[in-house]
Amino acid sequence: MIVTDGPGYRIVVDEDQLDLIRFEKALDEARRRATVDGEVAALESALALYRGRVLPDSRSPALTSAAAALEDRYLGARERLLELRLEQGRAHDAVSELMPLVAEHPLRESLSALLMVALYRVGRQADALRVYHDLRNLLAEQLGIDPSSAVNYRYQQILRSEPALDTPPAARPDRPAGPPAAAPPPRSLPHDLPDFTGREAELDQLLAHVPPPPGPPPEVHGTGPGPDARGDGGQDGPRTGRQAVRIITVDGMAGSGKTALAVHAAHRVADRYPDGQIFLDLHGFSPHCEPVEPHDALGTLLRALGVPADALPEDPADRASLWRGMTADRRLLLLFDNVIASDQVRPLIPAGPGCLVLVTSRPRLAGLDGAVPLPLPLPSTAEGLALLGQVIGHRRVAAEQEAAAELVALCGRLPLALRITASRLTNRPHWSLAYLAGRLRDERRRLDELTVEHRSVRTSLHLSYATVPPRHQELFRLLGAHPGADFDGYGAAALAGLTPHAAETLLEGLLDARLLVQHTPGRYTFHSLVRALAREAAEQQPQPTRDARHRLLGYYLDAADRAAGLLRPRGERPRPQAPGPGAHRPDVHRPDAHHPDAAHPAGAAPDAAPAAAPPLRDAADALAWFDAERTGLLAALAHAEDAGYDHHAARLPLALAPYLHARGHMEDELGVLRKAVAAARRVGDPALEAAALTGMASPYGHLGRVREGLECAREALALAERAGDRSRTAFCLGRIGMFHNALGQYEHAIAALHRALVLLSRADAHDEECAVLASLGEAQAALGRHAEALQTSRLVVLHSRQNGDAYGELTGLLGEATAYAGAGRLDAALDRLAEASALARRTTTPDGQAPVLVQYADVYRRQGRHREALRAGHAALQLLRRIRRPALAAAVHNVIGTVHRDRGEYERGEGHHEKARRLAQQAGLRRELALALDGIAHARAHGDDPHGAKEHEPRRDPAARTRPLTAVAPAPPPCPSRVP
């Protein structure tokens, strides 16, 4: 019946009169059927109503859209019918219907997937694979996309001939059409290592963050809130009022045992998560595998929870939503291993508050909000030895304890390296631990040795390198050329030719990637095995490596020279002659240097602007910089020698010497200056040679090797006089005078010192003039000319204060104290010593308070204040245990010995004089030797051995007739680090 309705017409029919309504009712009936046959019959009844496309020629957009929707519902019903026929085992029938359907709808992927399964079940595997390839090519050509993951999954199943694709053995007409039986909870954790050992602290820390198993609510007495009223289950942390999923990240360098720890912990708490424990390797750092995308990872997780592959949503948001919904009420333990970044794992976090998520990664996942980070350090040496023992047997480790400890050290305490080492020892039972340690000692072969089957330390470490951006990789390779143990942003900038800011940004990136280690803020170093990898990479690019090392040497030379100038400002002294362009060209290299860098091709390392140097404000900054860079500077010096950079090898020690002197490292100072002399001679630079020889005088003086120091100073004097260098001649004469003082040859000393003063009066070198005056005052006091000594020492103090030279002022004050004491004005001497003591506490000197304490001891002795004298003397000895100053040590032993003799303690006094005698004989100190022998003789004369006293009576010597206070002013200051 047709009726009017507003401006149009409407047909009124019964439900049975319209096929569309009958179609919908038949589909509803099919969904309600409980058996496969029942659902098939209902679907066939519905599809029998179809008589072709609806309104194929319509031009109305509304009608066309409605017709398309109806067509899609029809196709969906046909797909469901074909799925059921496959379940019934009627694969041949399905093939005959699906082929024309796929041809008619070639872009409908679900139809192609059904056809692939049907063809496979009728034994046409090749045809099934061809359907997939035809679909993939069509999608790529027409839409530029790949097949869906569901189709790809079917393709993989067919390739592997998975049994799941076979005809269901239970296919029968009366089989229920409902969902399959619930799958058991997933249990995919890897096996726990039976030889897992150590890591107690880290394991306890991890387990402390795992929520306890659920239990009955605690009893609450009274009306107040119970202990868990805060809603966090009794756990420490923010009071959120509700529980949330617990996320724990374990991060550390490659091979540090992250997965082993996480798996071990997961097995410990697995029973708290009855709904399943899932392990998923996300392949962030896996050879031959790309990192797993979150979309694919969600598919794996959903399938683990029972979702069929063909039921997985394609839309990433829908898939993530389904995952959150399915985990909302479950207690799951999820272990996501080998994660590359926070973005990879963030969509996988479940919604259920009863879930635990363990994540292992190399970088720190700072972007994963709510996670508890657990950085995994390297195991201790004891834990490394325990791991070796667990694998190869504790008896074998106990039999070679030293070799076992060396193996742990050579492996850098890295668990992966230790396990590979243990595997090799197990595989080679006739190998001793010492034999394998010998193979590992060569750093160039170490990574080759740390390989067994498919496990390799080199491969594992290289994966971290391969994941960082190219600029980081380039810096990593250049850092492999650094000769030192650690470096800062300035050193890295010099190596790479970057600004310090840019270098530090890259360094921080390498630190995040676990390719660098940081023990001190601002300084970086390599793990020993990563350093081996970096040096391999540096050797593979010889020219950039040579250029980088050359830039580093230039930076070190410039920065060390500036820092040395702050330790003892010497603005008065002539500046050094900088190495000219030739110093940066290969023609200054030794032609016979057997080192790759000696073959530096011309023009390969052109002169460049100096690298930026750290901002150093004062001596304290300079000392701190030298302390941090000492090993790097010494390594750079060794490289300069080996590579033939002789100008650098000659000049770098002159910058290092003031620091080594200030820290009391006299042997090291002497050693580097010897290298400077040798390098200066190779390049034929007499000025550099003279500067180095003069510099050697100071450590020789401190070490008590007076005659060697005197010979050095004379050799330098000959070079300076030959070159007509008045300033250098004056410096050498000053050192010669100091050595004559130490030998007790005071008249010779005064003659040399007067010559030096004449030359210095015509030069602008006030601090050197003060040093010469201080030595002159010492000689005058030793000869009993105390008034002259006092005047000379006052000049030292005056000039030093005018020029801000605290070291020179300290020397002058000690000289005044010596002169006052020699003149019998002991209270005045104590006043000067008090000034000197206060100044020494503020001044960086190699001796510190030691010279002041020695003089205090002698003045107190003269005043009869024996207890105070002994206290000061022993305090001086305590300081001298840290620095080698034979002259000071001999002097203080003589003073202490004299105090004991004055107290009638002759045996104790003799013991100290005997120590002074040995020191003085070794160093050639005639004055202290004479005093020691005299003290021994007096002690024996008053003790139990009067005959032995005759053997130790000193011979008549002018040096022994008159003794100054103690003549223990600081030893010769370091030579000028500048060369004219």
Side-chain angles (χ1 to χ4, degrees), residues 673-934:
L673 289 171
R674 282 202 192 99
K675 294 180 178 182
V677 170
R681 287 172 178 167
R682 286 194 296 268
V683 296
D685 190 327
L688 281 172
E689 183 183 356
L693 286 168
T694 309
M696 290 171 69
S698 178
Y700 272 133
H702 277 272
L703 295 171
R705 297 162 62 176
V706 178
R707 296 196 180 277
E708 293 173 90
L710 181 58
E711 186 60 33
C712 250
R714 285 172 173 166
E715 196 174 348
L717 176 63
L719 287 170
E721 288 180 334
R722 192 179 307 136
D725 186 338
R726 297 173 63 88
S727 295
R728 180 63 57 189
T729 300
F731 296 154
C732 296
L733 287 169
R735 300 302 179 273
I736 289 171
M738 294 175 189
F739 286 121
H740 280 308
N741 272 346
L743 292 169
Q745 300 166 350
Y746 301 111
E747 296 293 352
H748 291 301
I750 289 174
L753 295 168
H754 276 306
R755 284 184 61 197
L757 287 171
V758 171
L759 293 170
L760 289 170
S761 65
R762 304 173 190 174
D764 189 19
H766 298 298
D767 58 343
E768 182 62 27
E769 186 177 2
C770 285
V772 172
L773 284 171
S775 295
L776 179 61
E778 181 183 347
Q780 291 167 338
L783 294 174
R785 293 153 56 177
H786 301 301
E788 295 176 55
L790 184 60
Q791 286 299 112
T792 303
S793 298
R794 283 175 175 170
L795 282 175
V796 174
V797 173
L798 177 64
H799 288 323
S800 298
R801 286 174 176 169
Q802 288 175 345
N803 292 285
D805 184 359
Y807 186 89
E809 183 182 353
L810 174 61
T811 305
L813 289 170
L814 289 174
E816 285 191 51
T818 300
Y820 278 128
R825 300 172 60 183
L826 300 181
D827 289 338
L830 288 176
D831 290 341
R832 292 298 176 270
L833 288 175
E835 289 186 60
S837 180
L839 185 59
R841 285 193 291 270
R842 306 192 304 268
T843 306
T844 300
T845 72
D847 313 314
Q849 290 273 1
V852 182
L853 289 169
V854 175
Q855 293 222 47
Y856 260 125
D858 192 76
V859 174
Y860 286 145
R861 178 193 65 80
R862 289 168 179 262
Q863 291 181 324
R865 298 160 64 177
H866 293 157
R867 183 174 297 178
E868 292 164 282
L870 289 176
R871 187 182 300 118
H874 284 293
L877 286 179
Q878 188 70 25
L879 291 175
L880 290 170
R881 288 191 179 96
R882 299 197 300 267
I883 57 174
R884 188 176 173 189
R885 282 294 307 274
L888 270 179
V892 74
H893 277 299
N894 273 329
V895 171
I896 294 174
T898 304
V899 173
H900 282 303
R901 286 192 292 112
D902 291 345
R903 289 160 58 102
E905 299 164 348
Y906 298 109
E907 186 175 349
R908 298 179 71 178
E910 182 184 347
H912 280 282
H913 286 307
E914 180 60 33
K915 291 178 181 178
R917 181 190 65 78
R918 287 197 298 268
L919 289 167
Q921 277 186 332
Q922 292 169 1
L925 304 171
R926 293 174 56 194
R927 179 183 61 217
E928 294 302 334
L929 177 60
L931 291 169
L933 292 172
D934 184 64

Side-chain angles (χ1 to χ4, degrees), residues 134-294:
D134 290 344
L135 173 65
R136 187 180 64 176
N137 293 336
L138 184 66
L139 290 173
E141 290 173 4
Q142 296 195 13
L143 304 177
I145 61 174
D146 291 326
S148 68
S149 59
V151 176
N152 284 324
Y153 181 67
R154 290 295 188 213
Y155 173 68
Q156 294 292 334
Q157 284 184 306
I158 293 170
L159 279 178
R160 295 191 292 265
S161 298
E162 289 189 4
L165 284 182
D166 294 339
T167 301
R172 58 183 186 271
D174 59 344
R175 185 169 64 86
R187 303 278 191 267
S188 60
L189 288 179
H191 75 281
D192 194 8
L193 292 176
D195 54 10
F196 183 89
T197 186
R199 298 298 196 185
E200 285 85 0
E202 292 81 6
L203 185 62
D204 289 345
Q205 186 179 354
L206 190 156
L207 295 177
H209 291 288
V210 177
E219 293 185 18
V220 180
H221 301 283
T223 58
D228 278 346
R230 61 185 182 179
D232 61 359
Q235 299 294 304
D236 293 333
R239 301 190 181 189
T240 60
R242 61 181 181 82
Q243 287 187 334
V245 60
R246 188 64 54 92
I247 309 168
I248 303 172
T249 63
V250 182
D251 59 85
M253 70 174 291
S256 59
K258 303 178 294 295
T259 301
L261 175 66
V263 169
H264 186 71
H267 279 284
R268 290 275 294 268
V269 299
D271 58 347
R272 303 184 193 179
Y273 299 93
D275 295 326
Q277 305 94 41
I278 302 175
F279 175 89
L280 183 58
D281 186 349
L282 294 179
H283 294 295
F285 301 88
S286 297
H288 316 303
C289 281
E290 291 296 320
V292 177
E293 293 294 333

Side-chain angles (χ1 to χ4, degrees), residues 512-523:
D512 290 339
R514 290 298 196 275
L515 289 168
L516 290 177
V517 182
Q518 188 170 70
H519 300 300
T520 304
R523 297 200 66 79

Side-chain angles (χ1 to χ4, degrees), residues 482-497:
H482 198 293
D486 64 348
F487 37 83
D488 64 2
Y490 290 93
L495 268 174

Side-chain angles (χ1 to χ4, degrees), residues 376-432:
L376 189 61
L378 293 173
S380 66
T381 299
E383 289 178 318
L385 290 170
L387 176 57
L388 271 183
Q390 283 287 97
V391 181
I392 69 173
H394 293 290
R395 184 175 299 176
R396 197 171 173 187
V397 170
E400 295 185 76
Q401 294 183 21
E402 290 186 8
E406 185 182 8
L407 276 177
V408 172
L410 290 170
C411 289
R413 309 199 318 273
L414 189 69
L416 174 60
L418 288 168
R419 284 197 172 272
I420 290 174
T421 298
S423 296
R424 297 196 68 191
L425 288 169
T426 303
N427 195 38
R428 297 284 190 273
H430 58 281
W431 280 12
S432 68

